[in-house]
Amino acid sequence: MRVMSTAGASAEAAAPLDPAAALTVLPGVGPTTAARLAAAGLSTVADLVQWFPRRYRALRELEAPDESATGELVRLEASVHNVALAWLPGRRAMVTVTFATASGALFLTRFFNQPWLRKNYPIGQQRAVEGVLARKSSRWVLENARILPVGADPAGEVQLRYREIEGVSAARLQNWIATALRDLDIARLQSSLPALPTGLEAHDDPVEDLLAAMHRPADVAVHERARRHFAVREAVELFAQVERARRARERRAAQAFPVDVELAARVLARIPFDLTADQDRALRAIWQRLAGPAALGVLLQGDVGTGKTAVAVGAALAVLAHGGHVAFLAPTELLAEQHFATVSTWLADTDVRVELLTATTRRNVGELGEFAGPLLVFGTHALLTKDTLLPRLGLAIVDEQHRFGVGQRMALVNKGNNPHVLVMTATPIPRTYALTLFGDLDAHQLRERPPGRGAVRAVHVRTEQWARVEQSIRRAVRRGGRVFVVCPAVGEDGEKGGAVRVHRTLARAIRGAKIGLVHGRLETESRQAVVAAFRNGDLDVLVGTTVLEVGVDVPAATLIVVVAADRFGIATLHQLRGRVGRGSRRGLCVLCGPKTPRIAAVCATVDGFELAEADLAIRGSGELLGTAQSGFVELRALDPSADLELLLQVREAVRGDPR
Ligand code: ADP
Ligand code: MG
């Protein structure tokens, strides 16, 4: 990787670059590259200079490779000891440069597909090298190494990394950014940026300095100041959109579905248990808003097992009682099927038509929307496809919203004639996300759990102790409980840890128990049959993939075993343990595999919100970008793990801004 150079300034007195110009104005950017850049959202010179790198971690300076620094980003001063070129299969060149530190310790760096590099490093030359320290077959290696130019001032403490763009090397990208920064018509860019709302002017600086500080900062403080400036701009754009969405919703006159005392009593009588105080409060708030005049937009947040479904059904019933249509969108077929099965029994012997609409059951779509009476349709994203129109849609419910993007939510809204919208999420999301993804909605929380349903403790068991896991399963089954076993893959060819193989192992090891297998590759009917058999007790143990993750509700389940738990994220593990302890008996979750920080976090707390924060801390915000992007704007400078204060400040300013 080359460092950016501003040097190449061959004093061409070309006209300054128009920020709005297409990227093909840059030397070396042809139509193919331009298309690749466009796919990443980069079309103009202005986009390019605002393609911000992330500061990813502090760098540690070492005298010599050191066990305690493995996995860390380090910088070493060393002299070139040896350079070798090897050809790998497929005519891939590999240049290995071996360095020796002052104390004589050796470490390697490797570069692929750049055979000419071997000429760049004369033996004995002193260089500073940065990379991630690793130990490979008893040798020290700096991975993703960067050999700094001779005499480079290695004092820079800010480590920047650009998001990868498919088919465009980091070095080329950085060169283009450097060129663009050098030749940019800065005044024009400056004047094209919207003024910041009142109260946020303090964040303003000349954009030239800010851009330089984003791409090649002198120190952390300078970079951070610039980052905050652009974060404020992003947040302003974000909340402008959020507010637009909110106002659009509030302006939309929606059909009113008033709930009087008599109707409330009838609805509550349909739910086969007494609501908790939290459920009751949330439901009544929703009813109130359903009475109009504007469209309801509610985010219902509650940890796994707090009983969000009942609140949603209570809201649905208010609409159904007035003859309206309700769509209930679930992230997986299994979950849609389960909601359909449960609620069908709650609504048996009413005039409500309850339907299931998934990829496999799509045949009856056409006439559904035309149905004249009350209709409750459960479905997956198949509900979102174009040909499904629900003109009489009064309420759209989106379960586990974090699995859908804002765009999908909007798509559902557009299916009907200004429906009310209720969005639910169990994965407790950090507040920054609530603001960035759901800022246009009114939030309600379920904190309390239904009586007798404690949170479920997780324990860790190492893979070598699998016998203990089998013991626990045997014990649970003997006591009449039911057991989930979740695997990271189907493993059709019988690989280790795959559901197929685990199923076979358990069938042999736990004699007398009835053990079923379920995964996404099964036909809907057989999958439904297996889950039903498990629910009604014809099976004791259900082995499956993460199709079991979200929402599956089998009150008799007391134990869940997660195989290769290190391969799952925190949110998934937390969801999975929510599958047990839903009946009167305590549940237990066994996480099997090497003990990772994620597993440790899940074992350490049962609180979903604490876990969400831990997740953010472990993953760092870089990885969370994928999620953030599905929100209103793409976040480049905003850091969801750090900028809560900033977001709140900007939200205030934007709301108070008359524009
Ligand atoms: P989640 O919030 O994770 O979607 P569910 O809606 O699936 O939770 O509810 C979890 C379990 O608790 C279900 O078995 C449900 O029937 C039960 N449940 C929900 N509310 C109550 C309540 N108020 N009293 C008793 N059981 C309840
Ligand atoms: Mg649920």
Side-chain angles (χ1 to χ4, degrees):
M1 200 194 294
R2 285 203 1 231
V3 284
M4 277 182 299
S5 80
T6 42
S10 50
E12 317 139 38
L17 278 180
D18 180 351
L23 288 172
T24 40
V25 298
L26 295 171
V29 182
T32 316
T33 307
R36 286 178 183 151
L37 294 169
L42 295 177
S43 310
T44 64
V45 172
D47 293 340
L48 185 67
V49 295
Q50 293 179 77
W51 179 255
F52 297 135
R54 299 238 133 214
R55 194 169 96 205
Y56 61 111
R57 49 186 156 170
L59 172 145
R60 199 166 140 189
E61 297 207 27
L62 295 181
E63 303 275 301
D66 176 354
E67 200 72 59
S68 77
T70 43
E72 283 184 49
L73 183 68
V74 301
R75 179 189 297 135
L76 286 151
E77 290 282 345
S79 58
V80 179
H81 180 76
N82 181 37
V83 182
L85 169 67
W87 291 96
L88 304 177
R91 285 202 49 79
R92 286 204 334 136
M94 178 175 80
V95 172
T96 304
V97 185
T98 307
F99 287 90
T101 65
S103 61
L106 299 182
F107 65 91
L108 319 177
T109 58
R110 293 197 169 113
F111 303 90
F112 297 92
N113 295 329
Q114 303 161 79
W116 59 89
L117 279 185
R118 71 183 191 281
K119 308 217 175 81
N120 288 7
Y121 306 111
I123 308 290
Q125 191 179 59
Q126 193 73 19
R127 300 296 278 261
V129 193
E130 297 172 356
V132 177
L133 185 64
R135 187 97 174 140
K136 295 243 163 113
S137 21
S138 76
R139 288 189 296 188
W140 291 110
V141 180
L142 279 201
E143 293 179 322
N144 299 319
R146 189 169 100 108
I147 301 177
L148 301 185
V150 182
D153 174 16
E157 50 185 317
V158 196
Q159 294 301 309
L160 302 175
R161 183 161 61 190
Y162 292 84
R163 211 180 89 206
E164 276 176 36
I165 297 179
E166 180 108 27
V168 178
S169 78
R172 288 170 79 207
L173 184 70
Q174 292 188 28
N175 273 327
W176 291 322
I177 292 174
T179 308
L181 281 177
R182 186 191 66 202
D183 297 342
L184 184 67
D185 185 341
I186 203 79
R188 227 147 132 183
L189 179 67
Q190 178 90 60
S191 62
S192 73
L193 294 175
L196 291 175
T198 330
L200 299 170
E201 302 87 346
H203 289 279
D204 233 342
D205 267 341
V207 76
E208 186 165 15
D209 303 346
L210 291 167
L211 287 176
M214 285 308 282
H215 293 284
R216 29 161 200 268
D219 58 50
V220 171
V222 165
H223 179 71
E224 179 60 12
R225 180 169 168 82
R227 188 192 69 77
R228 287 181 65 85
H229 167 91
F230 289 108
V232 164
R233 287 202 172 276
E234 273 174 19
V236 168
E237 168 65 18
L238 169 75
F239 287 117
Q241 289 196 29
V242 162
E243 286 303 302
R244 232 172 286 143
R246 174 194 294 278
R247 278 198 294 263
R249 173 166 59 73
E250 285 171 356
R251 261 200 313 274
R252 275 180 6 223
Q255 199 187 334
F257 301 100
V259 179
D260 59 18
V261 179
E262 182 267 336
L263 177 55
R266 266 200 296 143
V267 168
L268 292 178
R270 281 284 154 195
I271 299 173
F273 37 73
D274 292 331
L275 294 185
T276 64
D278 272 3
Q279 285 171 317
D280 193 66
R281 201 172 309 124
L283 181 55
R284 283 177 197 280
I286 292 170
W287 280 346
Q288 206 163 30
R289 300 289 305 275
L290 279 175
L296 159 101
V298 163
L299 168 67
L300 183 62
Q301 247 196 302
D303 210 344
V304 204
T306 48
K308 294 181 292 296
T309 317
V311 176
V313 171
L317 282 170
V319 173
L320 295 165
H322 291 279
H325 289 186
V326 177
F328 197 128
L329 190 67
T332 65
E333 292 214 0
L334 197 67
L335 191 51
E337 288 156 12
Q338 173 192 281
H339 282 325
F340 169 72
T342 316
V343 178
S344 293
T345 63
W346 292 5
L347 301 189
D349 73 341
T350 64
D351 63 345
V352 176
R353 175 168 172 192
V354 187
E355 289 284 345
L356 177 65
L357 198 146
T358 61
T360 11
T361 64
R362 279 178 60 185
R363 33 193 191 276
N364 51 6
V365 183
E367 33 95 55
L368 265 191
E370 300 302 316
F371 183 64
L375 168 76
L376 173 55
V377 50
F378 291 93
T380 54
H381 55 275
L383 258 181
L384 292 172
T385 52
K386 280 195 220 70
D387 54 336
T388 334
L389 270 181
L390 296 166
R392 303 186 50 220
L393 188 64
L395 170 66
I397 300 169
V398 187
D399 198 9
E400 310 297 348
Q401 155 83 44
H402 61 285
R403 296 236 167 162
F404 300 97
V406 173
Q408 281 171 305
R409 163 161 41 104
M410 301 294 180
L412 186 59
V413 169
N414 295 331
K415 293 243 155 262
N417 187 18
N418 293 339
H420 299 277
V421 179
L422 169 61
V423 157
M424 306 195 283
T425 178
T427 299
I429 40 176
R431 267 188 85 199
T432 43
Y433 279 125
L435 287 169
T436 53
L437 294 174
F438 309 115
D440 59 322
L441 304 175
D442 300 324
H444 291 283
Q445 295 264 351
L446 300 183
R447 294 189 180 280
E448 192 182 350
R449 283 169 194 280
R453 287 160 200 236
V456 176
R457 208 163 48 88
V459 295
H460 168 243
V461 171
R462 288 203 316 275
T463 317
E464 309 83 80
Q465 300 168 306
W466 179 251
R468 279 179 48 191
V469 174
E470 290 181 348
Q471 273 293 327
S472 310
I473 298 177
R474 249 179 238 119
R475 198 177 320 121
V477 171
R478 203 164 50 231
R479 291 182 186 158
R482 259 162 259 160
V483 182
F484 285 110
V485 179
V486 179
C487 307
V490 182
E492 276 160 320
D493 34 16
E495 75 228 39
K496 232 175 159 180
V500 170
R501 172 140 166 196
V502 169
H503 176 251
R504 210 181 317 128
T505 311
L506 288 178
R508 255 193 313 254
I510 304 179
R511 304 230 172 252
K514 283 158 289 175
I515 305 180
L517 176 64
V518 68
H519 51 74
R521 306 257 173 86
L522 294 179
E523 293 292 318
T524 311
E525 271 102 83
S526 32
R527 196 171 58 211
Q528 273 170 329
V530 175
V531 175
F534 183 62
R535 185 171 290 127
N536 64 34
D538 293 339
L539 291 172
D540 305 302
V541 180
L542 184 58
V543 181
T545 52
T546 42
V547 293
L548 297 174
E549 172 189 347
V550 184
V552 175
D553 187 39
V554 178
T558 52
L559 173 66
I560 183 164
V561 174
V562 184
V563 178
D566 53 302
R567 288 173 58 183
F568 296 94
I570 284 188
T572 302
L573 293 176
H574 184 61
Q575 274 282 349
L576 284 171
R577 75 168 147 188
R579 297 309 109 225
V580 298
R582 302 187 143 231
S584 45
R585 278 185 287 176
R586 278 256 302 273
L588 179 67
C589 170
V590 175
L591 303 178
C592 199
K595 188 158 193 168
T596 60
R598 291 193 298 229
I599 292 179
V602 176
C603 293
T605 177
V606 294
D607 183 306
F609 285 91
E610 242 175 72
L611 277 177
E613 303 296 340
D615 200 13
L616 205 53
I618 291 172
R619 289 198 288 177
S621 50
E623 247 187 75
L624 288 164
L625 271 182
T627 328
Q629 274 159 16
S630 56
F632 290 89
V633 294
E634 191 181 340
L635 305 182
R636 289 185 187 161
L638 246 170
D639 179 352
S641 68
D643 289 336
L644 179 60
E645 285 307 311
L646 183 148
L647 277 168
L648 292 173
Q649 190 198 352
V650 172
R651 189 174 63 167
E652 272 319 292
V654 171
R655 284 194 173 161
D657 202 53
R659 268 173 298 173

